[in-house]
Amino acid sequence: MNKKEKIVQSAIQVFTEKGVEKTTVSHIVKAAGIAQGTFYLYFPSKLSLMPAIAEVMVQLTLKTVIEAVEESASFDEQLKQFVDAIFAVNEEHHEIQAMIYSGLASTEHLKEWENVYAPMYQWVSTIVAKGQEQGAIRGDSHPDQLAKLIIGLTESAAEQIYLYDEEVDQGIRASEQKKETLLFLTYALGYSN
Amino acid sequence: MNKKEKIVQSAIQVFTEKGVEKTTVSHIVKAAGIAQGTFYLYFPSKLSLMPAIAEVMVQLTLKTVIEAVEESASFDEQLKQFVDAIFAVNEEHHEIQAMIYSGLASTEHLKEWENVYAPMYQWVSTIVAKGQEQGAIRGDSHPDQLAKLIIGLTESAAEQIYLYDEEVDQGIRASEQKKETLLFLTYALGYSN
DNA sequence: ATGAAATGAATGACAGTCAGTCACCTGAGA
DNA sequence: TCTCAGGTGACTGACTGTCATTCATTTCAT
């Protein structure tokens, strides 16, 4: 692993343990086993780490989703697999998700979010297009548009549970929310088997 | 205006002008016309301002939405009015929206988001319940659940345009996105006139 | 030998503290 | 009713320790 990757990995680890605010650059460099100054050869500031971290997370999410959604499954099964996968990633990595929002939102890096998310949009868009071709879902919207709305809806539903909510009954509310999200999506896409 | 409100108002102003990162507490207190120490009587840190700012914003959003949605209108008209209102608030206050995310997400204040949003959820929920009673939309989901998904979807759709995207052709893409969101919602709620 | 990479001590800026001030209230005595 | 001593707590701003960032120097690879 080169120094830049090492910094990103260490930063994710330390941020997750201590929280973004309480993490100092010297914590990160200590964890990475490099000198203070070296950090600034690779990143101009602490927060400029965030797009790099966000990229790692989106790649992980996309990987999880691609693995979860079976090529051969029916569209409604794929939809369920997709929702389950998004919820699973959000459950496992909610601290990092929160961190990314904070980091991206608090800087001029907000605009990079769309670029980072682009592969995700693209992948969902192709799945949607296939569904439309098979006549499984309505064809009166462009796949790219539907992809953005599907991802936005599902992530926001997952965040409502894992980021913003208290943790009591999280399991129960998560499965409820998943069920509702799936139903909502099924209607929204005009699904007919 | 009491000191606490004065701090919140000044903070919104300075944050919007300089960005959250580049704003210091001494900038805020200077704008508010109070001493450094006074700030800490009301807020334990710079970022703990965020829930208070978020509350102001959500109140503003709810006020805008309530004014925009006509009691007497049909459900699909109400839905359109709702989506338009959310988009309008996001367009007008995108810097502040970004700021709130950053502030809430970067701290232990994330959990307060749900509380801050509660009045909004509640209001939408009652509108949805009325729609269900009239048989305008499907009744196989709880209004509270639908409210969360509707708000999450609409806000995320608006953010995709006004927060994350570049500003080229924003007007065109905004109206496209509004149209698609409305269509998506209409299907999702199983609307039938 | 040369330049690129890495270092870590030094610097300046900032968040947060705290000892002290002051405006105002309360109630006891005249 | 007036007055003033004692009490309260909101407010102040100079001060301190911490931290992000810089940069003169060293190390390393070619």
Side-chain angles (χ1 to χ4, degrees):
Chain A
M1 196 168 358
N2 66 29
K3 289 232 155 72
K4 190 167 184 175
E5 285 168 8
K6 185 75 193 150
I7 290 170
V8 172
Q9 288 304 323
S10 303
I12 289 176
Q13 179 210 319
V14 183
F15 279 149
T16 308
E17 280 168 16
K18 305 178 82 86
V20 176
E21 273 176 290
K22 292 183 180 165
T23 297
T24 67
V25 172
S26 72
H27 292 142
I28 297 170
V29 298
K30 204 171 285 175
I34 57 167
Q36 191 94 350
T38 309
F39 177 91
Y40 291 92
L41 296 176
Y42 296 99
F43 297 96
S45 70
K46 186 171 100 175
L47 288 173
S48 63
L49 273 169
M50 290 305 170
I53 292 175
E55 204 158 343
V56 170
M57 273 307 298
V58 171
Q59 278 164 7
L60 176 68
T61 306
L62 185 55
K63 187 164 162 284
T64 308
V65 166
I66 288 175
E67 278 171 14
V69 175
E70 292 167 309
E71 191 86 33
S72 61
S74 67
F75 191 84
D76 67 330
E77 278 172 331
Q78 287 185 324
L79 211 51
K80 182 174 182 346
Q81 289 161 348
F82 172 78
V83 172
D84 283 343
I86 296 286
F87 270 69
V89 173
N90 268 273
E91 181 174 15
E92 194 175 356
H93 301 287
H94 54 101
E95 301 99 344
I96 305 181
Q97 293 281 1
M99 196 167 91
I100 291 170
Y101 283 131
S102 107
L104 283 178
S106 62
T107 58
E108 64 277 17
H109 305 297
L110 242 192
K111 303 291 186 196
E112 298 183 38
W113 188 239
E114 284 282 290
N115 297 332
V116 168
Y117 244 99
M120 188 77 190
Y121 286 145
Q122 203 155 23
W123 186 83
V124 172
S125 181
T126 61
I127 296 287
V128 168
K130 274 186 214 160
Q132 287 180 329
E133 279 164 30
Q134 293 163 10
I137 58 171
R138 66 187 173 87
D140 55 354
S141 288
H142 193 285
D144 291 351
Q145 289 282 347
L146 289 178
K148 283 189 177 188
L149 295 175
I150 292 167
I151 293 168
L153 175 73
T154 313
E155 295 245 325
S156 108
E159 285 155 15
Q160 280 171 10
I161 298 295
Y162 298 117
L163 255 70
Y164 304 131
D165 260 18
E166 298 301 331
E167 272 149 40
V168 286
D169 294 331
Q170 195 169 70
I172 296 163
R173 284 177 308 100
S175 65
E176 176 88 353
Q177 179 94 330
K178 263 195 272 192
K179 206 188 67 193
E180 288 293 341
T181 306
L182 191 56
L183 187 62
F184 195 91
L185 273 176
T186 310
Y187 275 105
L189 297 173
Y191 175 77
S192 54
N193 58 333
Chain B
M1 199 173 348
N2 66 30
K3 292 242 154 71
K4 190 168 184 175
E5 285 169 9
K6 186 75 195 150
I7 291 170
V8 173
Q9 288 304 323
S10 303
I12 290 176
Q13 179 210 320
V14 182
F15 280 150
T16 307
E17 280 167 17
K18 306 177 80 86
V20 176
E21 271 313 292
K22 292 184 181 162
T23 297
T24 68
V25 173
S26 70
H27 293 141
I28 296 170
V29 297
K30 202 171 289 176
I34 58 163
Q36 187 95 351
T38 309
F39 178 90
Y40 292 94
L41 296 175
Y42 296 100
F43 297 97
S45 69
K46 182 173 94 173
L47 288 174
S48 64
L49 274 169
M50 291 304 171
I53 293 176
E55 204 158 345
V56 171
M57 274 306 298
V58 171
Q59 277 165 7
L60 176 68
T61 306
L62 184 56
K63 187 164 162 283
T64 307
V65 166
I66 288 174
E67 278 171 13
V69 175
E70 293 168 309
E71 192 85 33
S72 61
S74 67
F75 191 84
D76 67 330
E77 278 171 330
Q78 288 186 325
L79 210 51
K80 181 172 182 348
Q81 289 160 349
F82 173 79
V83 173
D84 283 342
I86 296 285
F87 271 68
V89 173
N90 269 272
E91 180 173 15
E92 194 175 357
H93 300 285
H94 54 101
E95 301 99 342
I96 304 182
Q97 293 282 0
M99 195 168 93
I100 292 170
Y101 282 130
S102 105
L104 283 178
S106 61
T107 59
E108 64 279 15
H109 306 296
L110 243 190
K111 305 289 187 196
E112 298 183 40
W113 188 240
E114 285 282 291
N115 296 333
V116 168
Y117 244 99
M120 187 78 190
Y121 285 145
Q122 202 155 22
W123 186 83
V124 172
S125 180
T126 61
I127 296 287
V128 168
K130 274 187 213 159
Q132 287 180 331
E133 280 164 31
Q134 293 164 8
I137 58 172
R138 66 187 174 87
D140 55 354
S141 287
H142 193 285
D144 291 351
Q145 289 283 347
L146 290 178
K148 284 189 177 186
L149 295 175
I150 292 167
I151 294 168
L153 174 73
T154 312
E155 295 246 325
S156 106
E159 285 156 15
Q160 280 170 10
I161 299 295
Y162 297 117
L163 256 68
Y164 303 132
D165 260 19
E166 299 300 330
E167 272 149 40
V168 286
D169 293 334
Q170 197 169 69
I172 296 163
R173 284 176 310 99
S175 65
E176 175 88 353
Q177 180 92 330
K178 263 195 273 191
K179 205 188 69 195
E180 288 293 341
T181 305
L182 191 56
L183 187 63
F184 196 92
L185 273 175
T186 308
Y187 275 104
L189 297 173
Y191 175 77
S192 55
N193 58 332

